[in-house]
Amino acid sequence: MFLKRKSSIPVLSAVLGLTLLLAACSSGGAGSTSPAQAPEPNKPSGKTPTINVAYMPDMNGATPIVIGEEKGFFKEAGINVNAVKFLSGPPEFQAMASGDIDIAYIGPGATFLAAQGKGHIIDIVSLGKSDMVFATKKSGIKEWKDLKGKTVGVPKGTSGEMVLNLGLEKGGLKPGDVNIVNMDVAGAVSAYVAGKVDAVAIWSPYTLEIEKQVGKENMVKLGDNSDFFPDYIFPASWVVNPKFLQEKPELVESFLKAIAKTTDYKIKNKDEAVKMTAAYTQVPEESLKMQLDALEWLDNKRVADAFKDGSAKKWYENLEKLFVQNGSLKEITPADKFLMTAPFLKATGQ
């Protein structure tokens, strides 16, 4: 069984104690090029069809994989899942393009690649609320408009940058009015703690790491995702290789049937889900619990309702507006071009 082998995830120093691997949970890694880990060696064989699935080591990406395997949901659906760990979204899409990956979990930051036609979104995992912009107390910044002329550290191409841009707009500013410095997650945390930037756009659990280092009283929160609800929603998704969907729609449906069961299970058994995910990913339980506070898992009915009433279409198209603003997309693509709702609705009987 492929879950027997787990890659060790190093626990770094205090600043990086929650590890760079968790960055993917929020950003979808649009600004990262971290390579995928090689497929697990215990790849299932035999007549049962195998689906190559990309996951990320967090409560969105890894939890359905471990629950689906341990609780037998994949087996009940008549499929084997060969899970391959990735640290970001773009390499997943590259692997889909080469035919190595059939289905992948992505965070909101990689959604623009689906909008470019490189994948079809087939399910929504959660809505994120973990992206935040914090100023240092000594900077004198108290609200969005005060960022003018200040230096902000942010991993570019992520949902953290999206929230920053929305905040700047709210404050009557443009990105050019601010000195935005592109940093990786570790660099952004370190720069904030060392006082080398006036503010940082980042996400939980790294915001909690900063709080541990400098103290909550020295942090000025300017805003987070929830400040822009319901106009802007940040969904994490399951995306399928378009060729795989075209050639093997029955396997996609089987996968979604199994994932629907993992959704029901994880929502009803969150503590167990944390323990199982921690054992599989070797990410500390404390870090995974922090992630749960920063996301909203959607149950199957809510996903179905969002698919049927057009809410999901609006979520993704509004997200595209932010990608156009940051240059990831040239124009907005109608969501029905990359949002395929039929497989999920059929799989769940809704």
Side-chain angles (χ1 to χ4, degrees):
M1 185 172 69
F2 73 84
L3 291 181
K4 290 181 180 178
R5 177 180 180 272
K6 307 177 183 72
S7 298
S8 175
I9 298 177
V11 180
L12 306 180
S13 63
V15 172
L16 297 179
L18 297 173
T19 86
L20 288 176
L21 299 185
L22 293 180
C25 76
S26 172
S27 71
S32 173
T33 57
S34 301
Q37 182 190 25
E40 309 277 353
N42 302 321
K43 185 173 180 178
S45 60
K47 295 182 180 179
T48 303
T50 295
I51 301 176
N52 296 312
V53 179
Y55 75 96
M56 296 184 192
D58 56 40
M59 290 302 294
N60 273 333
T63 303
I65 298 297
V66 67
I67 290 178
E69 185 67 26
E70 294 292 346
K71 300 302 176 181
F73 296 143
F74 294 139
K75 184 177 181 180
E76 290 174 10
I79 57 174
N80 287 321
V81 165
N82 179 45
V84 186
K85 183 173 69 179
F86 283 75
L87 307 186
S88 61
E92 292 179 323
F93 281 91
Q94 293 169 8
M96 282 195 287
S98 65
D100 294 327
I101 289 295
D102 305 314
I103 296 174
Y105 160 79
I106 62 169
T111 304
F112 75 97
L113 292 163
Q116 290 177 346
K118 298 177 181 178
H120 293 326
I121 292 172
I122 52 175
D123 194 2
I124 300 174
V125 181
S126 69
L127 304 182
K129 51 184 178 181
S130 67
D131 302 284
M132 308 173 196
V133 178
F134 281 98
T136 62
K137 187 174 182 179
K138 70 176 185 179
S139 70
I141 299 169
K142 296 181 179 180
E143 51 187 313
W144 293 110
K145 67 179 183 179
D146 298 333
L147 285 172
K148 186 173 183 179
K150 301 293 186 176
T151 299
V152 182
V154 56
K156 293 197 58 97
T158 66
S159 45
E161 184 188 21
M162 295 177 193
V163 170
L164 172 62
N165 288 340
L166 286 171
L168 292 176
E169 183 179 357
K170 188 174 183 179
L173 303 176
K174 297 179 180 179
D177 296 325
V178 180
N179 178 26
I180 297 176
V181 181
N182 184 20
M183 299 178 169
D184 61 20
V185 175
V189 172
S190 298
Y192 186 98
V193 172
K196 295 181 179 180
V197 294
D198 299 303
V200 67
I202 205 165
W203 49 87
S204 174
Y206 297 103
T207 50
L208 296 172
E209 269 303 301
I210 290 175
E211 184 178 324
K212 290 179 183 178
Q213 294 294 308
V214 305
K216 190 173 183 179
E217 68 278 6
N218 293 313
M219 301 169 67
V220 180
K221 182 178 178 181
L222 300 181
D224 61 31
N225 308 72
S226 61
D227 293 329
F228 308 101
F229 290 176
D231 291 332
Y232 292 97
I233 303 293
F234 294 77
S237 318
W238 284 108
V239 61
V240 64
N241 183 332
K243 183 178 180 181
F244 186 75
L245 177 60
Q246 181 180 10
E247 295 179 352
K248 299 181 179 180
E250 72 286 352
L251 292 186
V252 175
E253 183 179 342
S254 295
F255 176 79
L256 289 173
K257 284 181 179 179
I259 289 299
K261 291 182 179 180
T262 71
T263 297
D264 289 337
Y265 192 91
K266 72 186 183 185
I267 290 175
K268 293 178 182 177
N269 304 277
K270 290 185 178 180
D271 289 341
E272 183 184 359
V274 168
K275 291 182 181 297
M276 293 173 68
T277 306
Y280 181 46
T281 63
Q282 297 185 23
V283 175
E285 289 185 28
E286 180 185 2
S287 298
L288 297 176
K289 288 179 181 178
M290 290 178 187
Q291 290 181 28
L292 282 183
D293 293 334
L295 59 86
E296 180 184 358
W297 275 338
L298 300 191
D299 61 32
N300 296 308
K301 183 181 184 303
R302 189 167 176 197
V303 173
D305 289 344
F307 279 174
K308 291 187 288 187
D309 67 15
S311 295
K313 185 174 184 291
K314 180 180 178 182
W315 295 345
Y316 286 110
E317 288 181 352
N318 281 353
L319 200 60
E320 285 187 81
K321 294 178 184 178
L322 304 182
F323 290 125
V324 171
Q325 290 176 11
N326 68 21
S328 297
L329 288 176
K330 292 183 179 180
E331 58 185 6
I332 295 173
T333 301
D336 53 17
K337 298 291 186 181
F338 60 88
L339 177 60
M340 304 297 152
T341 62
F344 176 86
L345 296 175
K346 184 178 180 181
T348 57
Q350 300 188 66

